[in-house]
Amino acid sequence: MMKLLVEKDAEAATVLAIEFQAKLVGNYKEGKHVISQLKKTISKHGVNEDSLAKRIDRLITISEISDIINLPVSTLRVWEQHQLFEPIRGDNNYRYFNQRLLNRLFTIKLLRLSGIGFEQCQHILKELDQKNFNEIIMILEKRLKDMKKDINNGLKALGHLNDLIIHLEGDDYFE
């Protein structure tokens, strides 16, 4: 953006700033939606695992699970290395998944899309396994608060950039 300013293309710099602001707001809204959906799911003390993801009735391979939840196999392997889940191992040492694991992967995906790190995911999944729903809701509400703060800081930075653009345009700074 600064390069555009130096090249006296304030209009392009302004467009970039507006696009950045829209992206921040979009990420916030998406994160808020994901957290809202998670909150609804986990706040039910009678969580129905069958309702969390597509229903499967047999063991499926990692490539099949990858297609179902729309994530690369490499991502699933990273999650496994971070001990977010443990697949079922067949006699051939292949990874297999059942409905319970599919539901867990779906939950992990939502957590990661919300910007929650591996360590916090582990903690949330542990609390979920123990059915400590109030603890999970507190963690998610804190994440939402942090996201709001980040967005506010980003919007302030955009305002400062806009002020700089106006200042540089008005003072013939580059002449």
Side-chain angles (χ1 to χ4, degrees), residues 96-109:
Y96 291 102
F97 298 83
N98 59 14
Q99 183 65 45
R100 185 187 61 76
L101 284 170
L102 174 61
N103 294 340
R104 187 173 189 92
L105 292 172
F106 179 73
T107 301
I108 295 167
K109 181 179 179 179

Side-chain angles (χ1 to χ4, degrees), residues 60-78:
I60 59 174
T61 64
I62 194 166
S63 60
E64 290 174 303
I65 205 86
S66 169
D67 290 339
I68 290 171
I69 62 174
N70 197 25
L71 285 172
V73 170
S74 59
T75 298
L76 297 172
R77 290 186 178 126
V78 168

Side-chain angles (χ1 to χ4, degrees), residues 17-33 35 113-115 142-160:
I18 291 169
E19 288 174 352
F20 176 70
Q21 180 180 10
K23 191 169 190 164
L24 276 174
V25 170
N27 288 346
Y28 170 73
K29 286 180 180 177
E30 181 180 337
K32 188 174 179 182
H33 175 72
I35 289 174
L113 285 172
S114 302
K142 181 186 181 314
R143 175 67 186 140
L144 189 59
K145 182 180 173 184
D146 291 345
M147 289 175 72
K148 286 178 184 178
K149 183 179 175 183
D150 290 344
I151 287 172
N152 286 333
N153 289 338
L155 292 174
K156 285 178 189 175
L158 282 173
H160 296 306

Side-chain angles (χ1 to χ4, degrees), residues 28-49:
Y28 170 73
K29 286 180 180 177
E30 181 180 337
K32 188 174 179 182
H33 175 72
V34 168
I35 289 174
S36 172
Q37 293 299 327
L38 263 173
K39 232 173 141 173
K40 286 178 186 176
T41 301
I42 64 177
S43 66
K44 298 176 187 176
H45 289 280
V47 175
N48 180 359
E49 291 185 352

